[in-house]
Amino acid sequence: MPRPTIPQLQSRVTSGEPLVMLTAYDSTFARLAEAAGIDFLLVGDSVGMTLLGHASTVPVTMDDMLHHTRAVVRATQNAHVVCDLPFMSYHCGEDEAVRNAGRAMQEAGAQSVKFEGGARWSSFVTRCTDAGIPIMGHIGLRPQQSSLLGGYPAQGRTAEAAEQLLDDALALEAAGAWALLLEKMPVEVAAAITQHVRIPTIGIGSGPHCSGQVQVMHDVLGLDENFRPRHSAQYADLAAPIREAFARYANDVKARSFPTDKQSVNGGDALAGFPMPRPPRSSSTLL
Ligand code: KIV
């Protein structure tokens, strides 16, 4: 099955089928996600925190996004891959913004592009759409604003703020966005937006009434024992088993019980005449 196109994803929503999206940042996990039937992969700027060790998404660069998107695209054939535009890649002029959105497709092979922003970004969305770049808006909590917000609070919690989110959604749709990501807003607000727009809404921390859901892969797999966000669905608890596997490997190397003959190449008769190895040095010889 080839990668689903935008019209195919939109018509699935029209026929009532929820869209399932998961973040992916590398080939191994992208391949596993695709094999599991997840047909919509987001190379999110969350890569900054999940893989690159940053405290927020702010330090993530366009080059980081292209690098990780390429890995996900290379490993998959059936998934629709969305590349996130990182902090400062679309804020310093519309020409540069459109150019960076285009790079995600042209240089990394993404099928569509996501950015954080509402109605004020309408002209950028229209220019991308005119250029043939399918663009997904991201409203509600916008993690790239965390320095201003003082963290990652839920958004749209007053009637006025909720109204603004609905206006943003309608403006982005009118400008040409093909889908919207709704992050961390009240269930009622996400439901109202989903009712009012004709394009798919993909929710995270925004309740069950969106057209689809997205989760961060590390949360789903339980890879970070110290970070378990309330809105995440944890389907495995892999941090402890992975740590245990690493510890067993380390112990085996230290105890010289790895590698064994099974993991070693033996030269045999072909090495006749080669000086025989000396007995292994013990730790006291090393001193
Ligand atoms: O970068 C990201 O992972 C996101 C999440 C909201 C899914 O945008």
Side-chain angles (χ1 to χ4, degrees):
M1 193 181 59
R3 300 182 195 275
T5 62
I6 305 286
Q8 281 167 345
L9 289 168
Q10 286 176 326
S11 75
R12 282 193 210 173
V13 168
T14 315
S15 61
E17 190 186 324
L19 295 179
V20 187
M21 192 188 216
L22 185 66
T23 66
Y25 317 100
D26 70 5
S27 300
T28 303
F29 284 99
R31 210 174 282 123
L32 288 169
E34 184 177 75
I38 290 167
D39 50 11
F40 198 20
L41 297 176
L42 171 65
V43 187
D45 60 353
S46 51
V47 67
M49 288 136 112
T50 53
L51 287 200
L52 303 180
H54 296 305
S56 76
T57 58
V58 167
V60 177
T61 66
M62 192 66 212
D63 284 343
D64 291 333
M65 294 311 303
L66 296 176
H67 178 72
H68 289 278
T69 302
R70 283 188 200 107
V72 170
V73 170
R74 269 196 296 269
T76 54
Q77 286 88 43
N78 309 327
H80 184 100
V81 179
V82 182
C83 173
D84 230 353
L85 289 181
F87 186 69
M88 280 300 120
S89 67
Y90 54 103
H91 305 84
C92 304
E94 217 168 79
D95 288 348
E96 192 193 3
V98 177
R99 161 65 51 210
N100 278 329
R103 290 182 72 199
M105 296 179 75
Q106 206 167 33
E107 296 178 34
Q111 279 75 58
S112 51
V113 176
K114 175 172 90 55
F115 80 103
E116 296 179 11
R120 282 195 228 156
W121 294 87
S122 296
S123 150
F124 163 62
V125 170
T126 301
R127 279 189 62 186
C128 286
T129 309
D130 283 350
I133 303 166
I135 189 124
M136 188 172 179
H138 177 156
I139 58 174
L141 175 62
R142 293 157 50 192
Q144 289 172 14
Q145 299 272 310
S146 63
S147 305
L148 276 174
L149 297 170
Y152 302 93
Q155 300 293 300
R157 302 188 76 176
T158 62
E160 196 186 342
E163 199 73 49
Q164 180 60 54
L165 288 178
L166 181 56
D167 289 349
D168 284 337
L170 292 168
L172 291 172
E173 177 183 42
W178 80 270
L180 296 173
L181 192 147
L182 309 183
E183 179 163 1
K184 222 170 170 185
M185 63 180 69
V187 177
E188 301 87 339
V189 181
I193 291 174
T194 304
Q195 260 173 25
H196 280 82
V197 297
R198 288 179 307 277
I199 54 176
T201 60
I202 311 295
I204 178 164
S206 300
H209 306 299
C210 301
S211 329
Q213 296 290 328
V214 59
Q215 285 285 297
V216 172
M217 183 192 86
H218 285 53
D219 297 340
V220 168
L221 297 180
L223 287 176
D224 186 345
E225 286 160 319
N226 301 315
F227 184 65
R228 302 264 154 110
R230 174 165 170 246
H231 64 256
S232 73
Q234 199 191 313
Y235 288 88
D237 205 351
L238 297 186
I242 290 173
R243 200 177 42 242
E244 277 155 28
F246 291 161
R248 279 173 47 213
Y249 163 62
N251 286 341
D252 283 356
V253 172
K254 286 178 191 159
R256 295 199 181 278
S257 54
F258 175 86
T260 65
D261 277 353
K262 199 172 150 207
Q263 290 104 14
S264 309
V265 177
N266 289 306
D269 293 345
L271 287 183
F274 185 74
M276 288 299 283
R278 291 186 215 110
R281 284 180 289 181
S282 68
S283 45
S284 57
T285 325
L286 287 175
L287 293 172

